[in-house]
Amino acid sequence: RYAKRLHKVVRRLVPNCDVRFLLSVSGSGKGAAMVTAVAYRLAAQRKQIDAALAPFLLSLETLREVKDKMRTELEYGLKRETQASASVKMLPTYVCGTPDGTEKGKFLALDLGGTNFRVLLVKIRSGRRRSVQMYNKIFAIPLEIMQGTGEELFDHIVQCIADFLDYMGIKGARLPLGFTFSFPCRQASIDKGTLVGWTKGFKATDCEGEDVVDMLREAIRRRNEFDLDIVAVVNDTVGTMMTCGYEDPNCEIGLIAGTGSNVCYMEDMKNIEIVEGNEGKMCINTEWGGFGDNGCIDNIRTKYDKEVDEGSLNPGKQRYEKMTSGMYLGEIVRQILIDLTKQGLLFRGQISESLRKRGIFETKFLSQIESDRLALLQVRRILQQLGLDSTCDDSIIVKEVCGAVSKRAAQLCGAGLAAIVEKKRENRGVEHLQITVGVDGTLYKLHPHFSRVLRETVKELAPQCDVTFMLSEDGSGKGAALITAVAKRLHNVGQK
Ligand code: ADP
Ligand code: MG
């Protein structure tokens, strides 16, 4: 009666637990085999997962190579003979000075090229009451307009400006305007910018090769309702650098890690062969997202990167950006998950409808899943919301995949930045450089590890540079206004 009594005692002691007793048949023999089989399966799985993620682990040596290649491409972009074919375009911005604190007035700014389109009114005060006040309104740009005709896109922009001017009650004011247009533009002056090519989610027709300021002016003329004094075309990296430069004069680099990835920095005029003059400095918009478009980093691109590229709006272009920026990281993760599922390592080998959907795995989910505070159960819940029915083991693997993808992104970005700060150090001819980088972008600001890994990589690869990272508060708005103000000031000085 041993068994019966045992069951009874157990049930009485833990009345809330439903305990079943099963008789084992030859546990030592079969059990040992079972333990071995499970261990074997897990080891085999581990091997396959490690194999899939191995190309994402970059050695220090590989990162140094990336840094060196970036440096080579930066030089190509600056030289007259190699510039036309360079993958890092190194576009002159005609921004030659940083704010000196005397800027003042009311400015309009437009911010196009990010997740949202915004119109802003920026009031800058100088002197002892130095301050910047901003009012802004966010407008959606529907997908059919982003990817429609250029005329539709610019008519829509002007419609939004009209709404904003009405809303603020300043329609008759003819304020100076800075246009933050965060796509590669070839500039011949601060208020002219020819679109080299769309990137990120934009693909409006009849714009590439056209001057964006002309297109904006024409749209304003078509509407014939108000006039604006368009003073500057601004890249968001430059706006970010200027915003931080307003607080810290040592800020000579601007970095964006958001939807896209890009950097600008102040270069010595004597190194910029395609612009006349050897005195002073000019800000260069590197457009480093195109790094590798000539194949120079194909050795580190994985099959997943290639799949993401092929499914994008601009196949073959912006290869570095597609490995490092918010628009693509989630998509890389999704490609890996599909592959692991096909290999039977995830989701019981079933590729669900939702996993097939492009864009379902947004980069914000990487941030959530990789958060150290999150329990596995919460990871499972996030996956469930995405329509991915996961086991506990699945969620561990998904977390590992996310970690590998975001870490590589931060390291690659760090290797690129190391090339820039090293170049600046050599330009100045100093043993040791102290420099500030203004940074904007939700990936940098919200991902739990991206910014730390980026900083660590720069430290490792550019040990002679002491780099301070400064978060920018709305570089696209404030920065555009500051650039407009500086340009106005310099223009007025010139006229006098
Ligand atoms: P933009 O670069 O478009 O001007 P942001 O800097 O806000 O604007 O970046 C938005 C991008 O950041 C989104 O496209 C998305 O890829 C990414 N993102 C959004 N939320 C998060 C998050 N929580 N963690 C990491 N990346 C995010
Ligand atoms: Mg932005």
Side-chain angles (χ1 to χ4, degrees):
R1 294 163 70 190
Y2 181 88
K4 215 170 182 178
R5 285 194 178 150
L6 174 68
H7 300 175
K8 202 162 157 188
V9 171
V10 169
R11 282 184 192 125
R12 209 173 277 165
L13 286 176
V14 283
N16 294 335
C17 302
D18 190 9
V19 186
R20 280 173 69 211
F21 293 85
L22 273 183
L23 272 186
S24 140
V25 187
S26 70
S28 315
K30 206 161 144 189
M34 287 303 245
V35 170
T36 312
V38 169
Y40 197 72
R41 174 174 59 82
L42 289 179
Q45 270 184 2
R46 176 61 11 219
K47 254 197 193 144
Q48 281 173 280
I49 293 163
D50 286 349
L53 297 184
F56 288 86
L57 298 177
L58 304 179
S59 67
L60 202 54
E61 194 188 344
T62 307
L63 288 171
R64 280 207 186 95
E65 266 170 43
V66 173
K67 178 187 92 172
D68 293 344
K69 284 179 183 162
M70 178 66 89
R71 176 62 188 263
T72 308
E73 297 297 314
L74 296 177
E75 303 292 350
Y76 281 161
L78 288 172
K79 297 263 180 308
R80 199 186 302 275
E81 314 91 78
T82 42
Q83 178 269 331
S85 61
S87 74
V88 179
K89 295 184 198 75
M90 304 297 274
L91 304 167
T93 64
Y94 294 84
V95 168
C96 300
T98 42
D100 66 0
T102 64
E103 294 75 18
K104 61 175 185 228
K106 281 187 202 170
F107 303 89
L108 280 178
L110 306 180
D111 176 13
L112 180 77
T115 313
N116 298 307
F117 170 59
R118 296 180 312 149
V119 186
L120 304 97
L121 174 66
V122 185
K123 292 184 189 172
I124 306 177
R125 280 185 177 160
S126 62
R128 274 197 304 168
R129 289 160 71 206
R130 205 178 105 144
S131 67
V132 180
Q133 263 182 317
M134 303 205 285
Y135 308 86
N136 81 82
K137 214 170 158 168
I138 294 177
F139 298 90
I141 299 216
L143 197 70
E144 64 269 20
I145 289 194
M146 276 201 305
Q147 300 175 12
T149 72
E151 220 173 84
E152 282 163 354
L153 174 63
F154 280 86
D155 282 343
H156 180 74
I157 290 173
V158 171
Q159 165 77 53
C160 298
I161 302 174
D163 283 357
F164 181 77
L165 296 178
D166 276 336
Y167 172 75
M168 298 297 299
I170 48 170
K171 207 163 211 166
R174 197 175 192 269
L175 296 172
L177 177 140
F179 184 10
T180 299
F181 183 78
S182 307
F183 301 96
C185 278
R186 236 175 252 294
Q187 293 190 251
S189 63
I190 197 159
D191 64 346
K192 285 192 172 58
T194 305
L195 175 62
V196 176
W198 290 115
T199 58
K200 299 175 279 190
F202 281 74
K203 209 186 168 116
T205 57
D206 312 315
C207 295
E208 294 177 354
E210 299 293 323
D211 185 332
V212 297
V213 173
D214 284 346
M215 287 191 282
L216 181 59
R217 282 202 183 111
E218 273 159 30
I220 293 173
R221 209 171 299 141
R222 275 198 294 278
R223 194 178 173 95
N224 195 21
E225 203 180 295
F226 56 88
D227 199 12
L228 295 172
D229 173 19
I230 307 169
V231 176
V233 188
V234 178
N235 188 267
D236 53 352
T237 53
V238 188
T240 298
M241 182 188 78
M242 292 291 262
T243 305
C244 293
Y246 192 59
E247 315 291 335
D248 175 358
N250 208 20
C251 179
E252 294 204 344
I253 301 177
L255 168 70
I256 300 283
T259 305
S261 172
N262 194 12
V263 157
C264 74
Y265 73 101
M266 295 305 290
E267 177 60 276
D268 295 348
M269 278 294 284
K270 65 175 189 306
N271 295 334
I272 312 173
E273 289 191 359
I274 51 169
V275 180
E276 288 298 315
N278 284 330
E279 292 307 307
K281 295 182 194 178
M282 184 184 282
C283 182
I284 292 285
N285 165 18
T286 65
E287 286 297 334
W288 80 4
F291 177 46
D293 289 3
N294 57 0
C296 73
I297 51 169
D298 276 359
N299 62 319
I300 57 168
R301 285 174 79 227
T302 66
K303 62 176 176 184
Y304 310 112
D305 294 305
K306 287 169 194 157
E307 274 154 13
V308 170
D309 179 41
E310 279 156 22
S312 69
L313 280 176
N314 48 352
K317 303 221 170 96
Q318 302 293 99
R319 294 188 198 181
Y320 181 65
E321 175 165 85
K322 285 171 185 164
M323 300 165 90
T324 51
S325 80
M327 184 157 177
Y328 307 98
L329 297 191
E331 202 44 25
I332 303 175
V333 167
R334 189 181 72 91
Q335 294 296 345
I336 303 174
L337 297 186
I338 289 177
D339 190 37
L340 294 182
T341 309
K342 274 187 193 154
Q343 294 183 49
L345 300 165
L346 265 181
F347 308 133
R348 301 180 182 84
Q350 300 292 318
I351 300 183
S352 60
E353 260 326 294
S354 45
L355 193 55
R356 270 184 238 277
K357 276 194 214 124
R358 188 182 301 156
I360 164 122
F361 213 99
E362 291 173 48
T363 297
K364 71 173 185 219
F365 296 123
L366 267 76
S367 288
Q368 291 175 10
I369 289 170
E370 287 183 65
S371 159
D372 292 327
R373 290 189 306 260
L374 214 60
L376 278 183
L377 206 63
Q378 291 167 293
V379 176
R380 279 174 76 182
R381 208 163 295 143
I382 295 169
L383 293 174
Q384 215 151 41
Q385 281 168 16
L386 294 173
L388 303 172
D389 203 9
S390 65
T391 64
C392 220
D393 287 342
D394 288 342
S395 52
I396 295 173
I397 297 172
V398 172
K399 188 167 176 167
E400 218 182 314
V401 171
C402 291
V405 170
S406 65
K407 183 172 180 189
R408 182 189 66 159
Q411 287 181 322
L412 286 176
C413 196
L417 194 58
I420 303 266
V421 292
E422 262 301 296
K423 179 162 191 356
K424 287 218 51 106
R425 187 182 69 78
E426 288 170 32
N427 279 356
R428 283 207 204 151
V430 291
E431 190 67 23
H432 210 89
L433 178 76
Q434 270 214 322
I435 194 152
T436 300
V437 179
V439 198
D440 203 350
T442 304
L443 177 60
Y444 185 92
K445 287 180 173 170
L446 291 191
H447 189 279
H449 310 299
F450 185 91
S451 61
R452 177 181 44 80
V453 176
L454 168 65
R455 287 194 305 265
E456 286 168 0
T457 309
V458 175
K459 189 138 204 71
E460 182 83 43
L461 298 183
Q464 285 161 278
C465 301
D466 187 6
V467 184
T468 305
F469 290 81
M470 181 171 180
L471 283 185
S472 136
E473 288 296 322
D474 197 357
S476 305
K478 194 165 154 180
L482 286 168
I483 290 169
T484 309
V486 173
K488 266 296 223 217
R489 171 164 58 84
L490 296 178
H491 185 73
N492 291 343
V493 169
Q495 280 189 336
K496 273 177 201 158

